[in-house]
Amino acid sequence: MPCKTTTFLQCMAWALAVVLTHGEASAQTLPYSRQTFWEDTRAVKWETGLLFGGAIVFGSKNWNWGSSHSFRTTSEGWFGPDTESGGADKLGHAFSAYLITNGLTEQLLRQGRSPERGALTAVVITQALMLGVEILDGYSVDHGWSTEDVVMNMLGSGTAYWRQVTPGVRDKLDFRLEYAPTGYKGGNPISDYAGHKYVLALKFAGFNGTRDTPLRYLELQTGYYTRGFSREEQLDGVGRSRRGFIGIGLNLSELLFGQRASNESGALRGGRFFLEHIQLPATATRSEW
């Protein structure tokens, strides 16, 4: 399927659908209640507190919260050339929600929760956090409430939930951020979209036909990034561009840690989690357009 930059979301949806057809079974929904949620939240109270506290501190410092005395809304658009970041900020929202949801889910799994229960609690906590940030953005003259951001937040958490509860998907699919610091945006890696690349990786190690072959160390990658949308880049003469890519990369998690086991140590799980979410530069060969 040919993918143009302007149809990247459709390409992502197509790729997810391809992987889903290889899922071994659909997850069963377990009983869930308010008490279940509060029990799980208490189990990750320190992680939840750090997330909310960190968001408040960071947002207050960097996003000009409180600078507007009235609630503002804005239509930011999606991936168009006339948007603020060409859609990189939208994928940033999706990735942030995806990362947080997966992180909280992993903590709950370590404490004996089922994937369905842990992932659902993680989704609720993550969406409460992201919704709170968006509401406070509404009181910033620099930002404002963005429905597009809310949609991408839900897409990120939804993808993480589906990946956690559907057997086999976690071993087949990763959504990652590749980041190379540029010095723009005051060195802030969260807002430095000039250094971001968003990667969707289809891992051969997750498929029966290639799991026990050398192909398990490789993966098919596709992705999207933008350049030249920030004022700092434009002052340096960088023109606006939206870029897609496809290529073959190394599955570093498989290469370094092997196949996933249920009794892995905390250090091993942490290393695997890192490599499943962060794409290290210069570990793939790609064709761009």
Side-chain angles (χ1 to χ4, degrees):
M1 175 181 177
C3 298
K4 298 181 179 180
T5 302
T6 52
T7 58
F8 179 71
L9 277 180
Q10 290 93 322
C11 295
M12 285 185 65
W14 169 79
L16 291 173
V18 170
V19 179
L20 182 58
T21 61
H22 294 276
E24 298 170 13
S26 297
Q28 302 255 340
T29 302
L30 300 179
Y32 193 86
S33 66
R34 184 184 305 174
Q35 180 180 353
T36 305
F37 170 75
W38 288 119
E39 288 176 355
D40 290 351
T41 301
R42 285 194 294 271
V44 289
K45 59 181 180 295
W46 295 113
E47 294 85 349
T48 302
L50 284 172
L51 286 168
F52 277 82
I56 291 171
V57 171
F58 185 89
S60 300
K61 181 180 178 181
N62 294 278
W63 295 329
N64 212 9
W65 287 347
S67 56
S68 173
H69 297 296
S70 59
F71 188 77
R72 301 174 62 254
T73 62
T74 181
S75 178
E76 295 183 343
W78 296 98
F79 291 81
D82 56 347
T83 56
E84 184 177 349
S85 301
D89 57 325
K90 299 296 166 277
L91 288 178
H93 274 266
F95 178 78
S96 297
Y98 173 85
L99 175 66
I100 295 170
T101 302
N102 277 333
L104 291 173
T105 302
E106 290 295 326
Q107 288 297 99
L108 289 166
L109 290 177
R110 292 182 64 182
Q111 299 188 46
R113 270 62 169 184
S114 68
E116 294 85 357
R117 172 175 169 172
L120 182 55
T121 297
V123 167
V124 176
I125 294 173
T126 301
Q127 288 304 301
L129 170 66
M130 305 298 279
L131 184 62
V133 168
E134 203 60 41
I135 291 173
L136 290 171
D137 274 353
Y139 291 95
S140 167
V141 295
D142 295 337
H143 297 282
W145 166 281
S146 167
T147 300
E148 294 91 340
D149 288 348
V150 175
V151 170
M152 296 304 287
N153 293 339
M154 292 190 291
L155 177 62
S157 282
T159 301
Y161 178 87
W162 168 69
R163 181 175 177 270
Q164 291 282 354
V165 304
T166 306
V169 172
R170 189 166 57 164
D171 294 325
K172 296 180 176 73
L173 185 73
D174 287 346
F175 178 32
R176 304 181 193 138
L177 169 65
E178 180 179 320
Y179 176 61
T182 66
Y184 299 127
K185 297 295 181 180
N188 180 353
I190 295 179
S191 303
D192 183 17
Y193 299 121
H196 288 195
K197 292 183 180 180
Y198 295 92
V199 181
L200 195 65
L202 191 64
K203 303 181 289 187
F204 296 135
F207 295 90
N208 292 332
T210 50
R211 182 173 295 141
D212 298 320
T213 73
L215 287 175
R216 69 182 183 274
Y217 300 120
L218 300 177
E219 57 192 27
L220 179 65
Q221 295 183 359
T222 185
Y224 178 80
Y225 67 100
T226 64
R227 296 293 182 263
F229 279 79
S230 69
R231 183 173 179 272
E232 295 92 334
E233 290 174 276
Q234 292 167 10
L235 290 174
D236 282 345
V238 180
R240 287 191 174 200
S241 63
R242 296 167 298 151
R243 306 180 186 182
F245 60 82
I246 189 169
I248 297 292
L250 290 174
N251 184 343
L252 294 179
S253 179
E254 183 71 19
L255 187 64
L256 296 177
F257 306 128
Q259 294 185 9
R260 192 188 311 274
S262 59
N263 59 345
E264 290 181 343
S265 67
L268 185 57
R269 291 169 68 115
R272 190 185 298 279
F273 184 87
F274 177 84
L275 292 175
E276 288 178 346
H277 293 81
I278 301 299
Q279 176 71 37
L280 297 183
T283 57
T285 177
R286 298 165 177 164
S287 175
E288 299 189 356
W289 61 89

